[in-house]
Amino acid sequence: MKKQPGHTISTRCSNTFYSKPCPTHQQGFTLLELLVVLIILGLLAGLVGPQIMNQLGGAKSQTARLQMEELGAALDLYRLEVGRYPNSQQGLVALIEKPDSALGWNGPYLKKQIIRNDPWGYPYQYRSPGNQAPYEISTLGADQKPGGEGEDQDIYSWQ
């Protein structure tokens, strides 16, 4: 090809808008390199995954304790105004709906006017009078069976 005045010969690919020269060979990863990376990722997931799950379980237990404290504060305010805690039949609903026998009720006593379930999606259990305290709020954990460890551990407001 002759060089004409005002024209330049380009070594760029004519069908692209990139400023890089045309590749002369394809670059990529070998199968062995990909397998090594997959093995390393698998080992990391095997080591880190269980730790993350343990932290998640601990976070749910801590959330349950905090929610029980919030319910306990609302129950204490209820007691100050009504003169007693709601009985077991009235339950925690007495914090958001006035029971017939609650003279002096000035609720609702929960800001969002809802009784939340525990972090595992089950309703909190409420008893008044309780065996260990004037009232007891509890959850049986993820398995909903008495006893257990970790995420299945029972949580009580009086502990």
Side-chain angles (χ1 to χ4, degrees), residues 48-65 118-120 141-142 149-153 155:
V48 174
Q51 294 299 323
I52 291 173
M53 295 308 289
N54 286 340
Q55 292 297 324
L56 181 62
K60 285 186 175 185
S61 296
Q62 185 62 29
T63 300
R65 285 185 182 87
D118 69 17
W120 299 278
E149 295 181 15
E151 200 172 325
D152 296 333
Q153 175 184 0
I155 302 170

Side-chain angles (χ1 to χ4, degrees), residues 12-18 22:
R12 296 183 188 140
C13 295
S14 60
N15 61 354
T16 64
F17 294 103
Y18 300 110
C22 292

